[in-house]
Amino acid sequence: MKKHRKLFLVFFSLLLLMLILSGCEKKTNKESTRKDFDSFTNEVFKKEVTQDTITLNFSLANPKNYGITNPPVTFGHYSLSEMKKSLLAAENYLAALKDFSYRDLDSKQKLTYDILKDYWTLEMNSGNFPLYNEILGPTTGLQAQLPVLLAEYNFYTKDDIDTYIKLLPGITDYFKEICQYEEQKSKAGLFMSDSVADSILAQCEAFIADKENNYLIEVFNDKVSSYKGLSKKEIKAYEKANKNAVINNVIPAYQLLIDTLNSLKGTGKNDGGLAGLPKGKEYYRYLLASNTGTDRSPEELIKLLDNSILSNLRALNALTSKDSKIYEEAANVSYPLTKPVEILDYLKSTISQDFPPCPKVDFTVKYVHKSLQDYLSPAMYLVPAIDNYKNNVIYINENPDYQGQEIFNTLAHEGYPGHLYQSVYFRNTNPTPIRSLLNFGGYAEGWATYVEFYSYHMAGFSDNEASFLEHSMAANMSLYCRLDIGINYEGWNIAQTASYLQQFGITDKNTAKVLYTTMVEEPALYPEYGVGYLEFMELKNTAQKALGNKFNLKEFHKFVLDIGPSQFEIIDKRMDSWLKTQK
């Protein structure tokens, strides 16, 4: 017995040693995998963030802290060859990603892995539509956004001013590439309609109308004169260099774009939505998925939108049944505050009940320059640098056409608890840098729309008034998204658009024309807001049904905010685990 016992003990000791050694090896492999994965994502970040100087400037205040030294000064490139390079890079990134052992990653890395995998897989699909992309657009196009980006270029150090001055002349070659791309689109029969071209042309012409007093000259002079540490001589030299660059490079680049678009007018073969192009429906599917972050097909979204319209109309009817004067009451509500800074301060203090805390930050409210008022949205928030998110800027457009839009709800969308709050909250979670570089319009705009509608309940209105306004806006937003899919995917013309609107009592032909033109000009734009909003509502409804009286709105908001910008399918997959913790 003793002999057998001794053999057993020896065997047991060997087995234990093997387990310990294998455990050490497993632990070492895990540590190595996690370290390598972080290195991989950081290298991808460094490569992508330095593709153009503006992206780098808005992403990082201190690039050297991220291992970035002497990056090229460039606007980047916009050409078919460059698009092919991007596709090849995405293919290589995907291949490298699949080499990592998923199970050895920690939970935060697994989230990043899932996001990157879906992101690059979808990007690969864009290779099927090389000439369908459109960088120009009446409202969100590059030519409309670039002046604001240049005006807000961050001067963290004196080197940043030097880089900015060095950057401006590069706009000539960049716009040449855009013009060549538009010429290629024209030859392929994929050029924009004349009405869209006219809208872009009007915006460009307004921007360069007063050459000597251009917006970029005025703003630069204000910024550089207030920069501490510069001598009067240096300030004058900078002002002169900037003015020369604006007059001799920026304005001629916009003039080149004007001349090119004018020469190509009339070559567009499609005056309607994307469905009128050879691969238009397929491209719209891709664009819809890319812009919204949803994995639902257009057909599934149509059902979701139809249900949203119907349910919100029913809610409005129910409110009207309770109070026959609710429509008039809601239309004449009085907001407690009207000054932007006061509104933002009020919203910041009020949201603490239903939203998790985020760090204290500064914000500045600015106003869109008159030369850009007709072509920019009612308001915009500039996402801050990853390593400098304490300073935030919100632009308000004082265009008279936007006077009917209440500034209170607009600032809830752009500020608290909208874009500013969500961006600051996410950056404060210290995400891996690559996460902050990815664009998820559906999450960002969906969240901002979700809280914008929520803000009616923070404005001091009665519950019925707030609910009426919320359901009215939600119904309208779903209606716009339905029009976008109908026009760009199902191929509706103006008559079909008008017919669809008539069933909701909208009979004005000019309204139908305006809405039709809006969806044609920038397809899949409204779904970023409306579909994104509905995806958040679907997540919220799922949580409420699963948790019943245990549902806590603040905890739900924390759940979606902690995950951060991503595809909605990824958030949905993680909801089961979160629900278990809540139960």
Side-chain angles (χ1 to χ4, degrees):
M1 287 291 294
K2 290 183 180 178
K3 186 177 180 181
H4 288 294
R5 180 178 173 81
K6 186 177 181 181
L7 287 172
F8 177 77
L9 288 172
V10 171
F11 174 75
F12 182 79
S13 299
L14 288 171
L15 179 62
L16 182 62
L17 181 61
M18 289 172 64
L19 288 172
I20 291 172
L21 290 174
S22 64
C24 289
E25 184 181 0
K26 187 175 183 181
K27 183 179 179 182
T28 302
N29 286 340
K30 275 189 177 182
E31 290 176 351
S32 176
T33 298
R34 292 174 182 181
K35 185 178 179 181
D36 290 345
F37 183 79
D38 285 341
S39 296
F40 166 69
T41 58
N42 287 334
E43 285 303 314
V44 173
F45 169 75
K46 286 195 288 186
K47 181 179 179 182
E48 295 300 320
V49 79
T50 54
Q51 291 292 318
D52 70 86
T53 303
I54 291 179
T55 296
L56 177 60
N57 180 262
F58 277 87
S59 298
L60 294 174
N62 299 289
K64 290 181 180 178
N65 292 345
Y66 292 78
I68 298 171
T69 56
N70 300 318
V73 179
T74 175
F75 277 95
H77 297 279
Y78 196 82
S79 63
L80 284 175
S81 60
E82 203 63 28
M83 291 176 188
K84 289 178 181 178
K85 288 181 182 178
S86 295
L87 289 172
L88 182 60
E91 185 178 2
N92 290 335
Y93 291 156
L94 271 175
L97 195 65
K98 292 174 182 177
D99 283 340
F100 290 99
S101 172
Y102 185 80
R103 66 181 180 181
D104 287 341
L105 302 175
D106 62 34
S107 59
K108 193 174 180 180
Q109 290 175 321
K110 285 178 179 177
L111 175 60
T112 301
Y113 183 104
D114 292 341
I115 290 171
L116 291 175
K117 181 182 177 183
D118 286 2
Y119 189 89
W120 288 327
T121 299
L122 181 61
E123 188 176 344
M124 293 294 293
N125 293 339
S126 67
N128 299 320
F129 317 100
L131 286 169
Y132 279 73
N133 190 46
E134 185 55 79
I135 196 172
L136 307 175
T139 303
T140 62
L142 172 98
Q143 87 296 329
Q145 301 290 326
L146 188 57
V148 175
L149 294 176
L150 289 173
E152 287 300 321
Y153 190 94
N154 299 292
F155 293 162
Y156 297 113
T157 67
K158 187 170 177 285
D159 286 342
D160 292 322
I161 305 176
D162 294 327
T163 298
Y164 178 82
I165 296 297
K166 187 178 178 181
L167 172 67
L168 289 184
I171 194 174
T172 304
D173 289 337
Y174 186 53
F175 270 42
K176 280 181 181 178
E177 290 187 2
I178 293 173
C179 290
Q180 289 170 359
Y181 181 79
E182 292 298 331
E183 289 168 351
Q184 290 173 311
K185 284 174 70 78
S186 175
K187 290 178 182 178
L190 301 173
F191 188 66
M192 66 187 74
S193 66
D194 285 0
S195 62
V196 175
D198 285 337
S199 296
I200 296 170
L201 285 166
Q203 187 273 322
C204 292
E205 289 164 355
F207 172 60
I208 65 171
D210 188 355
K211 296 180 180 180
E212 293 293 324
N213 300 294
N214 185 271
Y215 167 58
L216 293 180
I217 297 174
E218 176 185 333
V219 173
F220 180 88
N221 289 349
D222 289 340
K223 287 172 65 178
V224 79
S225 62
S226 62
Y227 188 89
K228 295 180 180 180
L230 293 178
S231 65
K232 290 183 179 180
K233 184 178 180 181
E234 286 176 316
I235 291 172
K236 285 185 178 181
Y238 277 132
E239 288 177 344
K240 182 179 179 181
N242 175 67
K243 187 172 183 178
N244 287 338
V246 171
I247 292 176
N248 298 319
N249 299 107
V250 177
I251 290 175
Y254 270 81
Q255 186 61 55
L256 173 64
L257 186 59
I258 291 170
D259 295 341
T260 301
L261 293 182
N262 274 321
S263 69
L264 297 177
K265 274 182 62 178
T267 65
K269 297 181 179 180
N270 176 41
D271 291 329
L274 288 174
L277 298 175
K279 292 184 179 180
K281 288 186 66 171
E282 293 86 347
Y283 177 66
Y284 183 75
R285 274 181 176 268
Y286 158 76
L287 192 63
L288 194 61
S290 178
N291 285 9
T292 64
T294 186
D295 64 334
R296 301 177 199 263
S297 67
E299 290 78 10
E300 290 172 321
L301 287 176
I302 287 172
K303 291 180 181 179
L304 184 66
L305 292 165
D306 286 346
N307 288 336
S308 173
I309 295 169
L310 184 60
S311 63
N312 281 294
L313 289 179
R314 284 174 177 167
L316 291 171
N317 287 333
L319 288 167
T320 304
S321 297
K322 291 180 182 179
D323 181 0
S324 60
K325 295 182 180 180
I326 187 64
Y327 180 85
E328 183 180 347
E329 292 168 355
N332 294 291
V333 292
S334 178
Y335 284 82
L337 301 167
T338 56
K339 295 181 179 179
V341 174
E342 290 181 353
I343 292 171
L344 287 166
D345 284 336
Y346 168 77
L347 288 168
K348 183 167 60 172
S349 63
T350 306
I351 64 173
S352 59
Q353 181 178 344
D354 290 332
F355 296 84
C358 77
K360 293 181 180 179
V361 297
D362 297 323
F363 61 81
T364 303
V365 175
K366 297 186 178 182
Y367 295 89
V368 173
H369 194 268
K370 288 183 179 181
S371 65
L372 304 174
Q373 283 182 354
D374 291 342
Y375 310 100
L376 292 178
S377 51
M380 68 181 76
Y381 166 71
L382 297 180
V383 179
I386 297 169
D387 54 344
N388 190 50
Y389 60 82
K390 297 295 178 73
N391 300 305
N392 296 265
V393 176
I394 293 176
Y395 266 95
I396 295 175
N397 191 343
E398 294 185 300
N399 184 334
D401 290 345
Y402 296 141
Q403 285 183 351
Q405 299 194 25
E406 295 296 345
I407 192 67
F408 185 93
N409 308 108
T410 299
L411 288 174
H413 182 109
E414 303 296 340
Y416 293 93
H419 288 312
L420 188 157
Y421 167 84
Q422 182 272 313
S423 296
V424 168
Y425 184 97
F426 180 61
R427 274 157 174 68
N428 197 53
T429 64
N430 194 31
T432 183
I434 191 66
R435 289 284 309 277
S436 298
L437 201 60
L438 303 177
N439 179 36
F440 291 105
Y443 180 99
E445 297 300 348
W447 170 263
T449 303
Y450 166 79
V451 297
E452 177 186 345
F453 296 169
Y454 167 93
S455 72
Y456 288 109
H457 297 275
M458 296 190 291
F461 308 146
S462 70
D463 288 341
N464 283 350
E465 289 170 341
S467 294
F468 191 90
L469 290 167
E470 179 184 2
H471 287 298
S472 295
M473 292 300 293
N476 280 334
M477 183 58 74
S478 292
L479 181 67
Y480 293 158
C481 293
R482 181 66 185 91
L483 288 174
D484 193 273
I485 296 176
I487 293 165
N488 289 293
Y489 184 71
E490 297 178 287
W492 292 357
N493 55 30
I494 294 180
Q496 289 170 305
T497 301
S499 177
Y500 177 77
L501 291 171
Q502 284 174 5
Q503 64 181 301
F504 300 104
I506 304 172
T507 57
D508 181 57
K509 291 183 179 179
N510 186 57
T511 299
K513 184 178 179 181
V514 169
L515 289 173
Y516 180 84
T517 301
T518 299
M519 306 310 164
V520 168
E521 286 182 341
E522 304 200 51
L525 175 61
Y526 270 100
E528 282 191 25
Y529 300 77
V531 171
Y533 160 75
L534 288 179
E535 288 286 5
F536 276 110
M537 290 300 292
E538 288 288 297
L539 289 167
K540 180 181 174 182
N541 292 337
T542 298
Q544 286 177 318
K545 288 178 182 178
L547 297 174
N549 58 11
K550 289 186 178 181
F551 175 79
N552 183 288
L553 184 58
K554 190 172 187 175
E555 288 299 316
F556 168 73
H557 289 157
K558 187 177 186 304
F559 162 66
V560 295
L561 288 166
D562 282 344
I563 290 178
S566 66
Q567 302 89 342
F568 286 105
E569 183 184 14
I570 288 173
I571 302 174
D572 188 58
K573 286 179 179 178
R574 281 161 172 76
M575 176 164 275
D576 286 341
S577 298
W578 175 76
L579 289 174
K580 289 177 182 177
T581 65
Q582 296 298 299
K583 289 178 180 179

